[in-house]
Amino acid sequence: MTVSHSPAALPRATRRLSSSPAFKAAIISVLTLALLVPSLLVQDLVRERKLRAGSVADAIARDWGGTQAIQGPVLVVPFLEEVERDEIQNGVTVRKRDLHRRAAFLLPQELTVRVNAQTELRQLSIYSLPVYQADIRLEGRFSPLDAGSFRPKFEGRIVPSGDPAYLAASISELKAVKSDISLSIDGGQPRLFDPGSGDLSLSGRAAQSIQTPLTSAEVATGFRFEIPLLLNGSGSFHIAPSGRTTRVEITSNWPHPGFSGGFLPDQREINPDGFTASWSIPYLARGLPDLMMDSSLPFSSQMLGVTFVEQVDLYQTVERSVKYAIFFVTLTFLAVFLLELRAPGQVHWIQYGLTGMALVVFYVLLLALSEHIGYDLAYLMAATAVSGLIAVYVGFLVASRKAGALMAAVLASIYGTLYLLMREEDYALLVGSFIAFLAVAITMFATRRLDWSGTIKAHVSGDQPDKTPDPA
């Protein structure tokens, strides 16, 4: 038996399918996934602006001075190791003598470092970088040098080289030094440092090292020293705890320090006017002997210091907020869908798409405004503009002022939650899981009587009586 359908039955079935809640929900799901594309483009835009800000910061640092790290001072004593060996020449054993140039490196018994870093924001175009000028004073004491403690490396004999001993230190960027660097021994007349480190590698970049010669008497008896210097820098400042006992005190007018390196401060005080931090590093914590024969000192893993952190890394914060875009697009679409079920008007899928694009534009507004007026105010302005636009638009579409007011309340809750998530990163997962649970629960309750295969206005609680007996 052949079953025939009237030509008008197919259009009616098609219209019924297209007006069913299930079909609308499927379209909304596809739109939500499609909006991943513009949200990814926004993420690329944020990264591009972040790279631009980084390149501008590098330009400021090149002109003013970059991150600074001081290593030393170290007492360097050159010597020779004489090694005798036998060599056969034309069948005859000849005694040869080889001389190997070596150096001993003595670290100070005491080292006290006092740093006063005055900071300011240097601006180029719309970007800025915290920079500082550090007034630094290094004070300490070297013990008398015992030449008998020199160890041969080639099983030879230690002999004097005739070259003078010298004091060496290293600074990351010598071009940012703003005054002559001098050494005062036992309160005597200052003597200037010269570029170069000779036998010693402190930072791996000899051009950034300095040295000044010492007399044999100073090396033999030990001495107290004082080294003042003034230098520019940006980003961070670090010092190597080279003394057997090292004490460091850093003060600054920057109110947002980030303490970094191998040691945290023993005491610190931070207030809106700046901070003060102090360290005390004992001999065992330094992890190096007083006298070494190696040409390179492993200070790089032992540095301590402070990073001058900007209060809000707006690019990182905006980038994190964009990662939640799909979550909040879903919540907004869900709210519009539930309001559509209970309001007189209907929302076309293209209008859902326009609503989603408005949500994506929020992140572009947030990024653009943040670069000029700061993150908090930019967030408030962008969220208010987008929430107002969508609330009025949805209220007009569904022909209900009440629905528009409810939409405004939902969006205020969504953007308020997003702001809290950006501020409380540690609780982001917990808050997000509660929101997801609440959204699913509200959806389940609001659609418990919905006939998903019927028309979008049929069988909604409060609209028409349900013909199917309630199992409850």
Side-chain angles (χ1 to χ4, degrees):
M1 182 175 61
T2 304
V3 179
S4 62
H5 298 280
S6 65
L10 289 177
R12 284 199 301 268
T14 303
R15 286 195 299 270
R16 179 178 176 84
L17 174 63
S18 62
S19 62
S20 67
F23 182 81
K24 179 63 72 71
I27 292 294
I28 292 172
S29 299
V30 173
L31 282 174
T32 303
L33 294 176
L35 285 171
L36 281 174
V37 175
S39 66
L40 291 175
L41 294 177
V42 173
Q43 287 191 41
D44 289 338
L45 177 63
V46 175
R47 296 190 189 102
E48 178 186 341
R49 300 298 291 181
K50 186 176 183 179
L51 290 174
R52 171 62 179 161
S55 64
V56 172
D58 291 340
I60 297 174
R62 283 194 300 269
D63 295 337
W64 178 268
T67 59
Q68 294 286 15
I70 298 177
Q71 304 181 63
V74 177
L75 175 58
V76 184
V77 182
F79 65 93
L80 298 174
E81 182 177 351
E82 183 181 78
V83 180
E84 295 185 349
R85 60 183 176 85
D86 293 332
E87 184 177 310
I88 298 177
Q89 296 180 355
N90 299 324
V92 179
T93 301
V94 179
R95 194 72 171 171
K96 292 285 188 177
R97 187 182 68 173
D98 296 329
L99 293 176
H100 299 273
R101 179 179 174 84
R102 297 185 60 201
F105 309 107
L106 182 67
L107 299 180
Q109 283 291 107
E110 301 172 8
L111 176 63
T112 300
V113 183
R114 295 184 177 87
V115 182
N116 183 6
Q118 294 300 306
T119 62
E120 61 178 282
L121 280 175
R122 302 283 287 192
Q123 191 156 351
L124 180 60
S125 183
I126 63 173
Y127 306 101
S128 61
L129 177 72
V131 301
Y132 61 84
Q133 185 170 84
D135 186 359
I136 306 167
R137 187 168 297 272
L138 294 85
E139 300 174 344
R141 177 176 63 87
F142 280 93
S143 297
L145 182 64
D146 180 12
S149 60
F150 292 4
R151 300 185 305 274
K153 183 178 182 180
F154 307 102
E155 298 182 357
R157 183 169 62 92
I158 303 299
V159 297
S161 67
D163 295 327
Y166 57 91
L167 202 67
S170 173
I171 300 174
S172 296
E173 289 191 12
L174 284 178
K175 68 175 186 179
V177 173
K178 307 310 292 180
S179 65
D180 289 332
I181 305 177
S182 60
L183 167 69
S184 297
I185 292 182
D186 294 328
Q189 290 295 319
R191 60 188 79 173
L192 297 180
F193 278 89
D194 295 318
S197 61
D199 304 89
L200 180 63
S201 175
L202 284 169
S203 63
R205 295 181 294 176
Q208 305 299 314
S209 299
I210 56 176
Q211 62 172 319
T212 188
L214 302 172
T215 65
S216 300
E218 291 167 342
V219 174
T221 60
F223 57 89
R224 299 197 68 85
F225 65 88
E226 182 177 343
I227 305 173
L229 65 149
L230 187 69
L231 57 83
N232 289 345
S234 61
S236 65
F237 174 83
H238 288 85
I239 187 80
S242 56
R244 185 179 180 94
T245 299
T246 303
R247 296 180 178 85
V248 179
E249 181 178 308
I250 301 178
T251 60
S252 175
N253 61 339
W254 187 254
H256 312 294
F259 302 106
S260 56
F263 306 92
L264 293 178
D266 301 317
Q267 296 179 345
R268 53 185 163 183
E269 181 179 346
I270 305 173
N271 54 60
D273 298 324
F275 72 91
T276 299
S278 60
W279 292 256
S280 180
I281 311 301
Y283 170 60
L284 291 178
R286 182 185 69 179
L288 297 174
D290 292 334
L291 181 65
M292 289 175 288
M293 302 295 173
D294 297 324
S295 60
S296 179
L297 303 184
F299 279 141
S300 59
S301 62
Q302 302 290 332
M303 307 291 279
L304 61 88
V306 61
T307 299
F308 298 91
V309 181
E310 293 193 70
Q311 186 176 10
V312 177
D313 186 347
L314 66 93
Y315 296 105
Q316 181 180 356
T317 307
V318 173
E319 187 174 10
R320 283 180 52 222
S321 67
V322 176
K323 293 178 180 178
Y324 289 92
I326 190 67
F327 183 59
F328 288 100
V329 168
T330 303
L331 287 179
T332 303
F333 280 179
L334 180 60
V336 175
F337 180 71
L338 294 178
L339 289 174
E340 181 185 5
L341 293 177
R342 298 177 175 277
Q346 291 192 20
V347 183
H348 194 271
W349 65 268
I350 292 181
Q351 293 164 331
Y352 274 97
L354 292 173
T355 302
M357 290 306 299
L359 294 171
V360 174
V361 169
F362 160 77
Y363 297 102
V364 180
L365 280 174
L366 177 60
L367 173 63
L369 292 173
S370 294
E371 292 183 332
H372 296 274
I373 61 176
Y375 180 81
D376 292 336
L377 185 56
Y379 190 96
L380 177 62
M381 292 179 64
T384 301
V386 173
S387 298
L389 173 63
I390 295 177
V392 172
Y393 185 61
V394 171
F396 176 80
L397 292 178
V398 299
S400 172
R401 292 184 179 180
K402 182 179 179 181
L406 286 174
M407 195 68 226
V410 169
L411 289 170
S413 301
I414 289 175
Y415 285 117
T417 303
L418 178 60
Y419 184 82
L420 293 177
L421 288 176
M422 295 304 99
R423 292 303 184 189
E424 299 292 339
E425 184 177 1
D426 294 338
Y427 299 98
L429 178 60
L430 181 63
V431 174
S433 62
F434 278 127
I435 294 173
F437 175 81
L438 185 61
V440 171
I442 292 174
T443 305
M444 292 172 65
F445 180 80
T447 61
R448 70 191 186 280
R449 297 180 180 273
L450 179 63
D451 181 5
W452 289 96
S453 61
T455 61
I456 200 166
K457 294 301 178 182
H459 302 291
V460 179
S461 177
D463 294 339
Q464 297 178 7
D466 196 346
K467 297 178 181 180
T468 304
D470 193 337

